Amino acid sequence: MSIIEPNSLLSVPTGQLRILELPHTTEGADGESVYFSLVIPTYKEAANITKIVEILCSLLDEALNRDYELIVVDDDSPDGTWEVAHSLSQQYPQLRVMRRQNERGLSSAVIRGWQVARGQILGVIDGDLQHPPDVLLRLLHSIEQGADLAVASRHLEDGGVSRWNFIRRFLSRGAQVLGLIILPGVLGRVSDPMSGYFLLRRSAIVGATLNPVGYKILLEVIGRGNIGQIAEVGYVFCERREGESKVTWKQYVDYIHHLILLRRSTGKFKKIHFPIGRFLRFGLVGLSGVFVDMAVLYLLHDPTTLSLPLTRSKIISGEVAIINNFFWNDIWTFADVAMQQREWRQRLKRFLKFNIICLAGLVLNVLILNLVYNFVIHNAYIANLIAIAVATIWNFWVNLKLSWRVTQVK
Ligand code: GDD
Ligand code: MN
């Protein structure tokens, strides 16, 4: 069907995200194995790709005498990254390019790249030059010294981040701490579990079915692979010169989801079963309710708007917030349960239960506020925070058990 030329685009593997043993027989140019396969996932990196390919090729040509391959996996970038990369492959025979049109996401891009890789050593590096290429040689050396996995780390002595602001540092560290709590057996093994720059032996990951959720493919490798010795090499995460980061708030949600999935399937902490992901979603929805409540209160009560009496306004705004929260919890927080019971009567029933439970939560809130204020800490705001926290847990737990009954659906 297609014209086979030496540097045509790689076809995209389908099916499970699993890396296989290399075939022992080497037939034809495509079947030839190489020593090292480095995947460069890209999305909108047209301004960087030429430079990084040039740097990597000159580095690796010298170090490995061309016994390597670079695999660019591009998700059909609108800036034509894959086309630019493909046009380079004449000049750099070690370069192979995959254009994915039916699948998206950083983690699955890396895994698809490894699936077509022909090397015994597999690796990944960002395509935006934020990962200094020369660190590769030290990573390779570590693998040669016997490590199954060699990770470039920002948190070693000679590592760091260049110009991150406080918030970004805080979020990055916060994510790590959260991960350590949920999955100490995985995140505790390396100093920089968020690293997207590492090498591993193919044999350490052969046969494991990987999961594409989340941005953090390293967690997947450590969690599901068969990793013995791990080495780390410090590096400084450079600033981006061209293009922009694809990290959005969604990655934080995905990250938490990813931790939970890994924890479940690695089965290390089966006993404690608090649905953290759901709880966080529930909390976010609750927060959205605060804004709805405020906005409605303003519309009804403010002298410049309807200027209705305060209590009447508050009852309405509170109820609108409850409706808002129910809506989002039903289509997001508990979507999986709601999908099994989607008739309008069933929804209405859930809504009524939710309403009653939230009202009870409000009563509990007031009670606890008074108790804490009078008997524990004589500070209304701290007491209120504690009351809100308890009421949130109450609301969540009772709604989980009664409104969206997980135990009912198998
Ligand atoms: N194919 C594909 N598909 N590539 C993607 C996608 C995607 O959906 N999203 C991002 N990429 C590519 C980018 O083009 C870039 O080459 C690399 O993945 C990293 O994406 P950035 O958006 O630049 O991420 P970052 O700079 O914020 O974070 C990086 O550094 C972290 C700290 O070391 C990533 O490498 C993280 O994985 C890493 O943990
Ligand atoms: Mn980047």
Side-chain angles (χ1 to χ4, degrees):
M1 184 189 90
S2 61
I3 315 143
I4 309 285
E5 36 178 282
N7 280 319
S8 59
L9 287 171
L10 291 166
S11 55
V12 185
T14 52
Q16 284 194 320
L17 294 163
R18 188 186 311 176
I19 286 124
L20 300 177
E21 203 92 60
L22 276 182
H24 294 292
T25 51
T26 50
E27 9 153 351
D30 240 350
E32 260 171 44
S33 65
V34 293
Y35 178 65
F36 175 44
S37 301
L38 183 60
V39 168
I40 312 171
T42 59
Y43 189 68
K44 296 202 263 184
E45 303 291 0
N48 290 311
I49 193 70
T50 308
K51 184 138 184 234
I52 192 168
V53 166
E54 184 192 308
I55 296 176
L56 288 172
C57 284
S58 78
L59 189 80
L60 293 173
D61 276 350
E62 200 184 297
L64 297 179
N65 194 20
R66 300 205 162 188
D67 197 5
Y68 73 94
E69 61 184 357
L70 296 182
I71 302 173
V72 169
V73 181
D74 185 63
D75 286 358
D76 208 17
S77 300
D79 69 1
T81 308
W82 63 273
E83 250 176 322
V84 179
H86 192 217
S87 73
L88 293 170
S89 57
Q90 294 295 329
Q91 193 183 343
Y92 302 100
Q94 263 63 41
L95 176 64
R96 305 164 80 202
V97 181
M98 185 188 295
R99 174 195 186 191
R100 293 200 310 166
Q101 290 171 287
N102 300 323
E103 231 175 16
R104 279 207 52 182
L106 177 53
S107 289
S108 66
V110 176
I111 302 165
R112 291 300 183 205
W114 287 342
Q115 283 183 308
V116 302
R118 300 168 298 186
Q120 287 296 356
I121 299 176
L122 307 174
V124 56
I125 187 171
D126 283 0
D128 55 8
L129 290 163
Q130 290 194 275
H131 291 157
D134 51 291
V135 172
L136 262 186
L137 300 184
R138 293 167 60 201
L139 292 171
L140 267 171
H141 184 71
S142 303
I143 299 272
E144 276 154 15
Q145 297 291 302
D148 290 318
L149 171 70
V151 183
S153 165
R154 294 166 295 176
H155 304 319
L156 289 185
E157 233 165 64
D158 39 0
V161 288
S162 9
R163 274 185 288 144
W164 281 17
N165 62 23
F166 173 75
I167 296 188
R168 188 148 185 211
R169 280 170 206 262
F170 177 80
L171 282 177
S172 176
R173 282 301 195 172
Q176 193 176 345
V177 169
L178 185 70
L180 276 171
I181 296 169
I182 300 181
L183 261 182
V186 172
L187 281 94
R189 293 193 69 187
V190 286
S191 67
D192 189 1
M194 309 299 159
S195 179
Y197 189 10
F198 60 89
L199 267 49
L200 75 155
R201 269 175 221 283
R202 173 188 288 268
S203 58
I205 195 84
V206 156
T209 302
L210 303 173
N211 194 305
V213 173
Y215 222 52
K216 302 302 174 190
I217 179 74
L218 179 58
L219 300 183
E220 207 50 32
V221 166
I222 300 177
R224 299 188 203 271
N226 181 12
I227 311 281
Q229 196 184 323
I230 301 181
E232 296 188 299
V233 175
Y235 84 100
V236 176
F237 192 66
C238 311
E239 289 300 311
R240 229 182 212 279
R241 296 236 170 74
E242 306 289 339
E244 56 189 37
S245 169
K246 281 91 209 172
V247 172
T248 61
W249 64 270
K250 185 178 177 293
Q251 258 96 50
Y252 291 98
V253 177
D254 280 353
Y255 169 69
I256 292 163
H257 184 197
H258 189 191
L259 289 177
I260 292 159
L261 283 179
L262 262 178
R263 194 191 71 172
R264 292 235 177 97
S265 56
T266 49
K268 283 176 189 137
F269 301 92
K270 282 248 165 77
K271 278 167 287 166
I272 328 155
H273 190 79
F274 185 78
I276 295 165
R278 266 195 224 282
F279 182 66
L280 288 172
R281 278 175 282 171
F282 192 84
L284 279 179
V285 170
L287 206 59
S288 82
V290 173
F291 288 99
V292 171
D293 195 328
M294 289 287 189
V296 176
L297 189 69
Y298 170 80
L299 288 176
L300 297 177
H301 174 65
D302 200 80
T304 63
T305 54
L306 291 175
S307 69
L308 293 178
L310 184 61
T311 305
R312 207 180 307 165
S313 306
K314 170 64 203 185
I315 291 173
I316 299 174
S317 68
E319 186 57 33
V320 175
I322 287 180
I323 294 172
N324 167 81
N325 291 7
F326 176 80
F327 176 79
W328 291 112
N329 280 325
D330 207 58
I331 67 166
W332 187 44
T333 314
F334 299 102
D336 50 338
V337 185
M339 285 299 277
Q340 322 246 346
Q341 307 169 5
R342 48 214 296 201
E343 274 171 47
W344 71 267
R345 291 158 135 276
Q346 295 170 318
R347 280 190 203 277
L348 187 68
K349 206 167 140 195
R350 285 201 292 275
F351 174 63
L352 291 178
K353 283 185 187 170
F354 181 76
N355 233 310
I356 294 165
I357 292 164
C358 288
L359 285 181
L362 187 62
V363 173
L364 187 71
N365 205 328
V366 176
L367 270 176
I368 300 220
L369 172 66
N370 277 290
L371 277 177
V372 175
Y373 181 80
N374 288 315
F375 300 112
V376 189
I377 310 164
H378 202 69
N379 177 320
Y381 297 101
I382 295 178
N384 195 27
L385 264 185
I386 295 171
I388 291 173
V390 175
T392 305
I393 293 171
W394 153 274
N395 275 348
F396 173 70
W397 196 253
V398 182
N399 273 307
L400 173 79
K401 292 294 169 201
L402 293 183
S403 309
W404 289 276
R405 207 180 310 190
V406 191
T407 45
Q408 236 176 30
V409 278
K410 270 273 117 57

Short mmCIF file of all heavy atoms in Angstrom, two decimals, residues 127-169:
data_model
loop_
_atom_site.label_atom_id
_atom_site.label_comp_id
_atom_site.label_asym_id
_atom_site.label_seq_id
_atom_site.Cartn_x
_atom_site.Cartn_y
_atom_site.Cartn_z
N GLY A 127 11.90 17.40 24.35
CA GLY A 127 12.30 17.94 23.05
C GLY A 127 12.50 19.45 23.07
O GLY A 127 12.63 20.06 22.01
N ASP A 128 12.51 20.06 24.25
CA ASP A 128 12.56 21.52 24.29
C ASP A 128 13.88 22.06 24.82
O ASP A 128 13.97 23.23 25.18
CB ASP A 128 11.40 22.05 25.14
CG ASP A 128 11.39 21.44 26.53
OD1 ASP A 128 12.34 20.73 26.89
OD2 ASP A 128 10.41 21.67 27.27
N LEU A 129 14.88 21.18 24.91
CA LEU A 129 16.23 21.56 25.36
C LEU A 129 16.27 21.98 26.83
O LEU A 129 17.26 22.55 27.27
CB LEU A 129 16.81 22.67 24.48
CG LEU A 129 17.16 22.22 23.06
CD1 LEU A 129 17.33 23.42 22.14
CD2 LEU A 129 18.41 21.36 23.06
N GLN A 130 15.24 21.65 27.58
CA GLN A 130 15.31 21.93 29.01
C GLN A 130 16.13 20.87 29.75
O GLN A 130 16.57 21.11 30.86
CB GLN A 130 13.90 22.02 29.62
CG GLN A 130 13.16 23.26 29.16
CD GLN A 130 11.92 23.53 30.00
OE1 GLN A 130 10.86 22.98 29.74
NE2 GLN A 130 12.06 24.37 31.00
N HIS A 131 16.29 19.73 29.11
CA HIS A 131 17.15 18.68 29.67
C HIS A 131 18.50 18.76 28.99
O HIS A 131 18.60 18.49 27.80
CB HIS A 131 16.53 17.30 29.42
CG HIS A 131 15.27 17.04 30.20
ND1 HIS A 131 14.33 16.12 29.80
CD2 HIS A 131 14.82 17.58 31.35
CE1 HIS A 131 13.34 16.10 30.69
NE2 HIS A 131 13.61 16.99 31.63
N PRO A 132 19.56 19.11 29.70
CA PRO A 132 20.87 19.26 29.06
C PRO A 132 21.36 17.95 28.46
O PRO A 132 21.50 16.95 29.18
CB PRO A 132 21.77 19.73 30.20
CG PRO A 132 21.00 19.52 31.46
CD PRO A 132 19.56 19.46 31.12
N PRO A 133 21.62 17.92 27.15
CA PRO A 133 21.97 16.67 26.47
C PRO A 133 23.22 15.97 26.99
O PRO A 133 23.26 14.75 27.04
CB PRO A 133 22.17 17.11 25.02
CG PRO A 133 21.35 18.34 24.89
CD PRO A 133 21.45 19.03 26.21
N ASP A 134 24.21 16.74 27.44
CA ASP A 134 25.47 16.07 27.83
C ASP A 134 25.31 15.15 29.04
O ASP A 134 26.11 14.25 29.24
CB ASP A 134 26.56 17.12 28.10
CG ASP A 134 26.07 18.20 29.05
OD1 ASP A 134 25.20 18.98 28.63
OD2 ASP A 134 26.51 18.22 30.21
N VAL A 135 24.24 15.36 29.84
CA VAL A 135 23.98 14.47 30.98
C VAL A 135 23.75 13.03 30.51
O VAL A 135 23.99 12.07 31.23
CB VAL A 135 22.77 15.01 31.78
CG1 VAL A 135 22.32 14.04 32.85
CG2 VAL A 135 23.11 16.35 32.40
N LEU A 136 23.30 12.91 29.24
CA LEU A 136 23.05 11.59 28.67
C LEU A 136 24.22 10.64 28.83
O LEU A 136 24.05 9.46 29.14
CB LEU A 136 22.77 11.73 27.17
CG LEU A 136 21.35 11.76 26.68
CD1 LEU A 136 21.37 11.74 25.16
CD2 LEU A 136 20.56 10.57 27.21
N LEU A 137 25.41 11.16 28.61
CA LEU A 137 26.58 10.29 28.64
C LEU A 137 26.80 9.75 30.05
O LEU A 137 27.17 8.58 30.22
CB LEU A 137 27.83 11.04 28.16
CG LEU A 137 27.70 11.57 26.71
CD1 LEU A 137 29.00 12.22 26.27
CD2 LEU A 137 27.32 10.44 25.76
N ARG A 138 26.52 10.57 31.04
CA ARG A 138 26.67 10.08 32.42
C ARG A 138 25.57 9.08 32.76
O ARG A 138 25.79 8.12 33.50
CB ARG A 138 26.68 11.26 33.39
CG ARG A 138 27.94 12.11 33.18
CD ARG A 138 27.87 13.45 33.88
NE ARG A 138 27.70 13.31 35.33
CZ ARG A 138 27.21 14.28 36.11
NH1 ARG A 138 26.85 15.44 35.57
NH2 ARG A 138 27.09 14.10 37.39
N LEU A 139 24.39 9.30 32.21
CA LEU A 139 23.31 8.33 32.43
C LEU A 139 23.66 6.99 31.79
O LEU A 139 23.48 5.92 32.39
CB LEU A 139 21.99 8.87 31.86
CG LEU A 139 21.39 10.09 32.57
CD1 LEU A 139 20.22 10.65 31.77
CD2 LEU A 139 20.93 9.73 33.98
N LEU A 140 24.16 7.06 30.57
CA LEU A 140 24.56 5.84 29.86
C LEU A 140 25.64 5.09 30.65
O LEU A 140 25.59 3.87 30.80
CB LEU A 140 25.12 6.19 28.49
CG LEU A 140 24.14 6.20 27.32
CD1 LEU A 140 24.80 6.79 26.09
CD2 LEU A 140 23.64 4.80 27.02
N HIS A 141 26.56 5.86 31.17
CA HIS A 141 27.65 5.27 31.94
C HIS A 141 27.09 4.52 33.15
O HIS A 141 27.53 3.41 33.45
CB HIS A 141 28.62 6.38 32.38
CG HIS A 141 29.82 5.86 33.10
ND1 HIS A 141 30.82 5.16 32.46
CD2 HIS A 141 30.16 5.92 34.41
CE1 HIS A 141 31.73 4.82 33.35
NE2 HIS A 141 31.36 5.27 34.55
N SER A 142 26.12 5.12 33.82
CA SER A 142 25.53 4.46 35.00
C SER A 142 24.90 3.13 34.64
O SER A 142 25.00 2.15 35.38
CB SER A 142 24.45 5.34 35.62
OG SER A 142 24.95 6.58 35.97
N ILE A 143 24.24 3.10 33.49
CA ILE A 143 23.64 1.83 33.06
C ILE A 143 24.74 0.81 32.77
O ILE A 143 24.64 -0.36 33.17
CB ILE A 143 22.76 2.04 31.80
CG1 ILE A 143 21.62 3.02 32.09
CG2 ILE A 143 22.26 0.72 31.25
CD1 ILE A 143 20.36 2.43 32.63
N GLU A 144 25.78 1.26 32.14
CA GLU A 144 26.89 0.35 31.85
C GLU A 144 27.51 -0.20 33.14
O GLU A 144 28.00 -1.32 33.17
CB GLU A 144 27.96 1.07 31.02
CG GLU A 144 27.61 1.03 29.54
CD GLU A 144 28.22 2.19 28.76
OE1 GLU A 144 29.13 2.86 29.30
OE2 GLU A 144 27.78 2.42 27.63
N GLN A 145 27.45 0.62 34.19
CA GLN A 145 27.99 0.19 35.48
C GLN A 145 27.05 -0.77 36.21
O GLN A 145 27.34 -1.17 37.32
CB GLN A 145 28.24 1.40 36.39
CG GLN A 145 29.28 2.38 35.88
CD GLN A 145 30.67 1.79 35.91
OE1 GLN A 145 31.15 1.38 36.96
NE2 GLN A 145 31.31 1.71 34.76
N GLY A 146 25.91 -1.06 35.61
CA GLY A 146 25.05 -2.07 36.23
C GLY A 146 23.68 -1.60 36.69
O GLY A 146 22.88 -2.39 37.17
N ALA A 147 23.38 -0.31 36.56
CA ALA A 147 22.07 0.15 37.00
C ALA A 147 20.99 -0.32 36.00
O ALA A 147 21.24 -0.39 34.80
CB ALA A 147 22.05 1.67 37.10
N ASP A 148 19.82 -0.63 36.52
CA ASP A 148 18.69 -0.95 35.64
C ASP A 148 18.03 0.33 35.15
O ASP A 148 17.40 0.36 34.10
CB ASP A 148 17.64 -1.76 36.40
CG ASP A 148 18.14 -3.15 36.71
OD1 ASP A 148 18.77 -3.76 35.83
OD2 ASP A 148 17.90 -3.63 37.85
N LEU A 149 18.14 1.36 36.00
CA LEU A 149 17.48 2.63 35.70
C LEU A 149 18.44 3.76 36.10
O LEU A 149 19.03 3.71 37.18
CB LEU A 149 16.19 2.72 36.53
CG LEU A 149 15.43 4.03 36.57
CD1 LEU A 149 14.78 4.30 35.21
CD2 LEU A 149 14.36 4.00 37.66
N ALA A 150 18.59 4.75 35.22
CA ALA A 150 19.43 5.91 35.55
C ALA A 150 18.60 7.16 35.34
O ALA A 150 18.10 7.42 34.25
CB ALA A 150 20.67 5.93 34.65
N VAL A 151 18.43 7.91 36.42
CA VAL A 151 17.52 9.05 36.40
C VAL A 151 18.30 10.36 36.53
O VAL A 151 19.15 10.49 37.42
CB VAL A 151 16.52 8.96 37.58
CG1 VAL A 151 15.52 10.11 37.53
CG2 VAL A 151 15.81 7.62 37.58
N ALA A 152 17.99 11.32 35.67
CA ALA A 152 18.55 12.65 35.83
C ALA A 152 17.71 13.37 36.88
O ALA A 152 16.49 13.40 36.78
CB ALA A 152 18.51 13.40 34.51
N SER A 153 18.38 13.90 37.89
CA SER A 153 17.65 14.45 39.04
C SER A 153 17.99 15.91 39.29
O SER A 153 19.14 16.32 39.24
CB SER A 153 18.00 13.63 40.28
OG SER A 153 17.61 14.34 41.45
N ARG A 154 16.94 16.68 39.60
CA ARG A 154 17.14 18.09 39.94
C ARG A 154 17.46 18.25 41.41
O ARG A 154 17.83 19.31 41.86
CB ARG A 154 15.84 18.87 39.65
CG ARG A 154 15.49 18.94 38.20
CD ARG A 154 14.06 19.40 38.01
NE ARG A 154 13.13 18.41 38.57
CZ ARG A 154 11.82 18.57 38.63
NH1 ARG A 154 11.28 19.70 38.20
NH2 ARG A 154 11.04 17.64 39.13
N HIS A 155 17.25 17.18 42.17
CA HIS A 155 17.37 17.32 43.61
C HIS A 155 18.64 16.70 44.19
O HIS A 155 18.68 16.30 45.34
CB HIS A 155 16.14 16.74 44.30
CG HIS A 155 14.86 17.37 43.81
ND1 HIS A 155 14.74 18.72 43.57
CD2 HIS A 155 13.66 16.83 43.47
CE1 HIS A 155 13.51 18.99 43.13
NE2 HIS A 155 12.85 17.85 43.05
N LEU A 156 19.67 16.58 43.38
CA LEU A 156 20.95 16.13 43.91
C LEU A 156 21.83 17.36 44.06
O LEU A 156 21.46 18.46 43.66
CB LEU A 156 21.61 15.15 42.94
CG LEU A 156 20.99 13.77 42.82
CD1 LEU A 156 21.86 12.91 41.92
CD2 LEU A 156 20.84 13.12 44.19
N GLU A 157 23.04 17.13 44.57
CA GLU A 157 23.90 18.27 44.84
C GLU A 157 24.14 19.16 43.62
O GLU A 157 23.99 20.38 43.68
CB GLU A 157 25.24 17.79 45.40
CG GLU A 157 25.57 18.50 46.71
CD GLU A 157 26.67 17.78 47.43
OE1 GLU A 157 27.78 17.74 46.86
OE2 GLU A 157 26.42 17.25 48.53
N ASP A 158 24.49 18.56 42.50
CA ASP A 158 24.77 19.40 41.33
C ASP A 158 23.54 19.58 40.44
O ASP A 158 23.65 19.90 39.28
CB ASP A 158 25.97 18.88 40.53
CG ASP A 158 25.96 17.36 40.47
OD1 ASP A 158 25.04 16.74 41.05
OD2 ASP A 158 26.87 16.78 39.85
N GLY A 159 22.37 19.38 41.02
CA GLY A 159 21.15 19.59 40.24
C GLY A 159 20.40 20.82 40.70
O GLY A 159 20.80 21.50 41.64
N GLY A 160 19.29 21.13 40.00
CA GLY A 160 18.48 22.28 40.42
C GLY A 160 17.52 22.71 39.34
O GLY A 160 17.41 22.08 38.29
N VAL A 161 16.79 23.77 39.64
CA VAL A 161 15.91 24.37 38.64
C VAL A 161 16.40 25.80 38.45
O VAL A 161 16.83 26.42 39.41
CB VAL A 161 14.44 24.36 39.10
CG1 VAL A 161 13.87 22.96 39.05
CG2 VAL A 161 14.28 24.91 40.50
N SER A 162 16.35 26.30 37.25
CA SER A 162 16.99 27.59 37.06
C SER A 162 16.21 28.77 37.64
O SER A 162 16.66 29.41 38.56
CB SER A 162 17.32 27.81 35.58
OG SER A 162 16.77 26.82 34.77
N ARG A 163 15.04 29.05 37.08
CA ARG A 163 14.42 30.28 37.57
C ARG A 163 12.96 30.08 37.96
O ARG A 163 12.11 30.89 37.62
CB ARG A 163 14.54 31.38 36.49
CG ARG A 163 15.85 32.14 36.57
CD ARG A 163 15.86 33.28 35.59
NE ARG A 163 15.98 32.80 34.23
CZ ARG A 163 15.39 33.36 33.17
NH1 ARG A 163 14.60 34.40 33.33
NH2 ARG A 163 15.57 32.87 31.96
N TRP A 164 12.70 29.00 38.66
CA TRP A 164 11.30 28.76 39.03
C TRP A 164 10.89 29.69 40.16
O TRP A 164 11.66 29.94 41.08
CB TRP A 164 11.15 27.32 39.51
CG TRP A 164 11.08 26.35 38.40
CD1 TRP A 164 11.46 26.57 37.10
CD2 TRP A 164 10.63 25.01 38.47
NE1 TRP A 164 11.27 25.43 36.36
CE2 TRP A 164 10.75 24.45 37.18
CE3 TRP A 164 10.11 24.22 39.49
CZ2 TRP A 164 10.39 23.16 36.89
CZ3 TRP A 164 9.76 22.92 39.19
CH2 TRP A 164 9.88 22.40 37.91
N ASN A 165 9.65 30.17 40.10
CA ASN A 165 9.18 31.00 41.20
C ASN A 165 8.73 30.12 42.37
O ASN A 165 8.67 28.89 42.27
CB ASN A 165 8.05 31.93 40.73
CG ASN A 165 6.85 31.15 40.24
OD1 ASN A 165 6.65 30.00 40.60
ND2 ASN A 165 6.05 31.78 39.41
N PHE A 166 8.41 30.76 43.44
CA PHE A 166 8.06 30.06 44.67
C PHE A 166 6.90 29.09 44.46
O PHE A 166 6.93 27.95 44.90
CB PHE A 166 7.72 31.09 45.76
CG PHE A 166 7.19 30.45 47.00
CD1 PHE A 166 8.04 29.78 47.87
CD2 PHE A 166 5.83 30.49 47.29
CE1 PHE A 166 7.56 29.18 49.01
CE2 PHE A 166 5.34 29.88 48.43
CZ PHE A 166 6.21 29.22 49.29
N ILE A 167 5.87 29.57 43.74
CA ILE A 167 4.67 28.75 43.57
C ILE A 167 4.99 27.45 42.84
O ILE A 167 4.56 26.37 43.22
CB ILE A 167 3.57 29.55 42.82
CG1 ILE A 167 3.18 30.74 43.70
CG2 ILE A 167 2.37 28.66 42.50
CD1 ILE A 167 2.00 31.51 43.22
N ARG A 168 5.81 27.58 41.78
CA ARG A 168 6.10 26.38 41.02
C ARG A 168 6.94 25.40 41.85
O ARG A 168 6.72 24.19 41.81
CB ARG A 168 6.81 26.75 39.71
CG ARG A 168 6.93 25.56 38.84
CD ARG A 168 6.88 25.74 37.37
NE ARG A 168 6.89 24.40 36.79
CZ ARG A 168 7.41 24.09 35.63
NH1 ARG A 168 7.91 25.03 34.87
NH2 ARG A 168 7.40 22.85 35.21
N ARG A 169 7.90 25.91 42.59
CA ARG A 169 8.69 25.05 43.46
C ARG A 169 7.79 24.36 44.49
O ARG A 169 7.91 23.18 44.76
CB ARG A 169 9.74 25.86 44.22
CG ARG A 169 10.96 26.19 43.40
CD ARG A 169 11.84 27.20 44.16
NE ARG A 169 12.64 27.97 43.24
CZ ARG A 169 13.90 27.70 42.96
NH1 ARG A 169 14.51 26.70 43.54
NH2 ARG A 169 14.56 28.43 42.08
#
